[in-house]
Amino acid sequence: MTGGIHHVTAITRSVQKNVDFYAGFLGLRLVKQTGGFEDAEQLHLFYGDAAGSPGSIVTFLVWEAGSPGRTGLGQVSEIAFAVPPASIGDWLQRALAGHVPVEGPAREFGEPVLRLKDPDGLIVKLVGLDLPAVAPLPDPIAPGRIRSVTILTDSPGLTAGFAARFGYRAGPREGNIRRLLGNTDAVDIRDATGYFPGIPGTGIFDHVAFRAGGADAVRRIRRDLRDAEGITQVHDRKYFLSLYVREPAGTLFEFATDAPGFAVDETPEHLGETLMIPPHDSERGDDLRLMLPQFARPGEDRMPARDLPFVHRFHVPPAPDGSVIVLLHGTGGNEADLMPLAARVNPHATLLGVRGRSTEEGSNRWFRRRGAGAYDQADIRGEAAAFAAFVDGAVRGYGLDRDRLTFLGYSNGANLLGAALQLHPGIVRRAILLRGLQVLDQAPETDLTGTRILLVSGMRDPFGQLAGTLENSLKRRGAALDTRRLDSGHELSGGDSSAARDWLNTA
């Protein structure tokens, strides 16, 4: 058995802050970026030494602006990296200069330790230990290897016994922590009896992966653990084979091969430079590259993030033409859902996706409803006002040209746009409403002269007969309205992008 930690995976709510911390502040190399193998609409980043060697890797699933989790029983609570012993003072100075929360130095198991917090609040320890990297990084004091992880458990004996399967032996104890030793790293089992259970979400560690000698070793442990909780089939993750299992107290373990490694689809010199799409999702690769969040590497030019009332995301195309399409999703969608459609409308437009702030049984919406066809009028007006403030803030904060903004909303997003048009004239000057309805019980008699609107409905849409009320309201207020009816239902179709493209080219 090869033994030792292969990688540790966590969840972040801010891809840019994550890259700035791990590739910028810590100096790790971003060795791979890919759509998730379980959910390709979820970005997965891998950091490590210069080659992405097993034993150096920390990975992050990106849940942009996602709800925070809670660290507790049945979770990894800390990751520790080895740095040169003489560099602890330098790292303390770097942390203070970089405004990174830091505690220490202290001594744990005889080793000097600094305890940092990353932007999500995850605890990252730097341990002064002479443990050279397999593939050293340019910064001589950058973390080279994972030294240890800490696991919270209310059954320390069972957790320790299970971890022994992965090549660990009993080591020293300090207080309520027993250390298990591998060849180069350690697993610290912390007796956390009485703690609350962990809750999944951003700002938590998802799992720790241990190294397998090869595919046969993965299959062998699959047979040996066939009755264990949470055991999975063997997964081909392209860069390694793996399986997952939960230890008796609930922490998720993975067993992963070293081969084939991250150089299987990029040369060693260019690791992490290209966004990779999992093979089984390759047919929608172009759409996924639009939907997955973009980020700037340390030192690259970037669009500054503005604190605005709505979660939002930009996608900047390779050759932007200066126009911007602002996207408002339907019920259950998010800020990236409409980006593929908008790119087909204008592949050179910068896309600004916005996320509604209301939720219904966990689904994103733009305003509350009280039942079928019954909408919370106060909430509609409040969210329309907040959206108007968002538009003003985005124009000022990002330097957008208001005359080159087009707003595109689908279903619930189109409904909010229709309300905002009538409640705040002038905020939206050009809009595409796909399956939009009138949701205002009483709309003010505002003047929409000079506003251009495309209203697209589906002839087989069960809500389509209600679109006429919105159409009449917008016309009566002076909007230049183009209405089109497609042979479709409430769902989007290729005809929507064609109609929007044709209209936008003449609007």
Side-chain angles (χ1 to χ4, degrees):
M1 179 178 288
T2 301
I5 295 170
H6 185 282
H7 68 265
V8 180
T9 292
I11 304 171
T12 179
R13 73 186 315 268
S14 174
V15 64
Q16 188 59 67
K17 290 180 180 179
N18 186 265
V19 171
D20 288 344
F21 182 83
Y22 287 92
F25 175 76
L26 285 184
L28 298 175
R29 184 180 184 187
L30 178 61
V31 293
K32 192 64 59 180
Q33 50 173 317
T34 178
F37 277 74
E38 295 295 332
D39 178 3
E41 295 180 15
Q42 179 177 267
L43 184 63
H44 197 171
L45 302 180
F46 297 74
Y47 305 91
D49 67 10
S53 306
S56 73
I57 305 161
V58 59
T59 93
F60 285 88
L61 303 170
V62 178
W63 296 6
E64 200 70 7
S67 299
R70 181 180 69 194
T71 300
L73 291 172
Q75 286 182 345
V76 172
S77 63
E78 300 176 333
I79 184 173
F81 289 98
V83 296
S87 70
I88 289 293
D90 294 327
W91 277 110
L92 178 59
Q93 291 180 0
R94 285 190 186 185
L96 294 172
H99 304 288
V100 174
V102 58
E103 293 180 5
R107 295 194 74 82
E108 298 179 8
F109 293 100
E111 300 166 348
V113 173
L114 283 180
R115 197 176 246 96
L116 312 176
K117 284 190 176 180
D118 82 352
D120 288 291
L122 290 168
I123 295 176
V124 178
K125 297 194 298 188
L126 300 181
V127 179
L129 187 66
D130 188 12
L131 192 63
V134 174
L137 292 157
D139 183 348
I141 67 170
R145 300 280 287 272
I146 294 175
R147 169 54 178 154
S148 66
V149 294
T150 302
I151 295 174
L152 302 181
T153 175
D154 58 1
S155 303
L158 293 177
T159 301
F162 197 87
R165 294 174 176 269
F166 299 90
Y168 290 88
R169 62 189 182 278
R173 297 192 183 205
E174 279 192 1
N176 62 348
I177 299 175
R178 63 175 74 181
R179 169 159 282 190
L180 305 182
L181 297 173
N183 293 332
T184 60
D185 57 39
V187 175
D188 292 335
I189 308 296
R190 181 175 179 179
D191 185 349
T193 302
Y195 277 35
F196 290 106
I199 297 176
T202 61
I204 63 102
F205 290 101
D206 185 72
H207 64 267
V208 55
F210 297 98
R211 297 174 67 182
D216 288 343
V218 174
R219 296 186 179 99
R220 183 168 57 253
I221 202 166
R222 172 69 180 83
R223 293 191 298 269
D224 292 345
L225 297 175
R226 58 185 176 274
D227 297 324
E229 180 186 353
I231 188 73
T232 67
Q233 297 298 325
V234 177
H235 298 283
D236 184 351
R237 299 307 195 200
K238 186 177 181 179
Y239 311 109
F240 46 83
L241 290 178
S242 73
L243 64 83
Y244 299 86
V245 65
R246 291 194 181 274
E247 53 89 13
T251 305
L252 184 61
F253 286 180
E254 184 180 6
F255 198 47
T257 61
D258 287 1
F262 293 117
V264 69
D265 53 9
E266 290 178 295
T267 63
E269 296 78 18
H270 297 284
L271 289 178
E273 295 181 7
T274 302
L275 174 59
M276 298 299 178
I277 303 300
H280 56 274
D281 281 298
S282 59
E283 290 186 359
R284 59 185 189 124
D286 290 343
D287 286 353
L288 291 168
R289 291 184 181 92
L290 291 163
M291 298 172 71
L292 293 169
Q294 294 179 311
F295 57 87
R297 296 167 184 270
E300 291 182 340
D301 291 338
R302 64 183 62 188
M303 183 175 290
R306 303 302 185 190
D307 186 12
L308 297 174
F310 291 84
V311 172
H312 56 284
R313 181 191 304 177
F314 280 96
H315 174 84
V316 181
D321 62 9
S323 67
V324 178
I325 303 178
V326 184
L327 305 170
L328 286 76
H329 61 80
T331 297
N334 60 40
E335 62 273 21
D337 274 8
L338 295 175
M339 287 186 175
L341 181 146
R344 288 189 278 273
V345 173
N346 180 3
H348 299 292
T350 295
L351 308 179
L352 171 53
V354 190
R355 185 189 303 178
R357 304 191 302 182
S358 181
T359 58
E360 184 176 285
E361 297 181 349
S363 295
N364 295 325
R365 281 181 55 83
W366 289 91
F367 50 83
R368 292 189 295 266
R369 57 183 171 186
R370 302 192 183 280
Y375 307 106
D376 186 326
Q377 296 298 303
D379 198 38
I380 292 171
R381 290 172 181 268
E383 291 306 290
F387 184 73
F390 168 83
V391 174
D392 283 339
V395 168
R396 292 193 305 270
Y398 294 114
L400 307 180
D401 183 347
R402 194 181 290 274
D403 291 330
R404 302 208 65 189
L405 297 182
T406 299
F407 294 78
L408 187 157
Y410 165 59
S411 189
N412 187 238
N415 296 346
L416 188 281
L417 263 182
L421 280 160
Q422 298 168 82
L423 294 169
H424 302 277
I427 289 292
V428 176
R429 302 175 184 176
R430 186 167 50 240
I432 300 169
L433 308 182
L434 308 178
R435 314 300 187 272
L437 308 175
Q438 175 67 293
V439 293
L440 291 172
D441 289 347
Q442 292 182 332
E445 291 299 327
T446 47
D447 184 4
L448 293 179
T449 302
T451 304
R452 300 178 62 85
I453 302 169
L454 171 64
L455 185 61
V456 182
S457 58
M459 290 187 289
R460 291 181 282 105
D461 184 355
F463 304 103
Q465 59 186 359
L466 304 176
T469 305
L470 177 60
E471 178 181 345
N472 293 335
S473 181
L474 296 173
K475 280 183 177 178
R476 190 169 68 251
R477 287 162 176 77
L481 192 65
D482 186 342
T483 59
R484 306 192 186 186
R485 289 173 172 79
L486 304 179
D487 183 18
S488 67
H490 193 72
E491 73 284 355
L492 292 171
S493 69
D496 289 286
S497 55
S498 297
R501 181 174 56 251
D502 294 344
W503 177 82
L504 193 58
N505 288 335
T506 60

